[in-house]
Amino acid sequence: MGRTHDVVDADGHDVGTLEAIHADTGTHDPAMAAVRIGPPTRHRPVLVPLDGVGIGPGHVEVVHEKSPVKDRPSVGAGDALPAEDEEAVLRHHRPAYRSGTAGERQLARR
């Protein structure tokens, strides 16, 4: 799966472009996709949970509709979620956020 994949909702509406996959550091399972949304001059990356994800030719289908995705907090200017922002951003998606037992991050970019 490459960065040129489109991300669409269950109705086939364009959500954005896949930038990266973030895995849960405890299970190593894919957990979130960094998706670039917005017009080219003002695009920003947001995290979209990968629960219920589907894969098609040239696209990734998420169960989350486009409108709520637009309201998600940005994850920073790069592909990686800054460590100091991880808890605040993930609490938006998963209220039961927990860091590792030694305080390690919950997500790792893959």
Side-chain angles (χ1 to χ4, degrees):
M1 182 173 316
R3 293 179 181 221
T4 59
H5 282 72
D6 294 325
V7 178
V8 299
D9 67 16
D11 294 325
H13 298 118
D14 179 49
V15 173
T17 304
L18 179 67
E19 287 202 337
I21 299 293
H22 295 265
D24 183 305
T25 57
T27 65
H28 301 288
D29 292 333
M32 298 273 188
V35 178
R36 186 180 44 191
I37 64 169
T41 57
R42 296 186 339 204
H43 67 266
R44 64 189 180 93
V46 298
L47 289 179
V48 177
L50 290 175
D51 46 326
V53 71
I55 306 229
H59 74 274
V60 176
E61 182 181 302
V62 294
V63 297
H64 306 276
E65 296 176 1
K66 182 177 182 172
S67 336
V69 168
K70 292 188 312 186
D71 296 333
R72 295 177 190 271
S74 295
V75 294
D79 290 338
L81 175 62
E84 62 273 9
D85 296 342
E86 181 178 85
E87 182 175 359
V89 169
L90 290 183
R91 283 198 184 278
H92 179 83
H93 303 289
R94 296 179 174 177
Y97 173 81
R98 289 178 289 125
S99 62
T101 55
E104 66 270 10
R105 296 182 69 168
Q106 184 176 356
L107 287 182
R109 184 172 167 255
R110 300 284 186 229

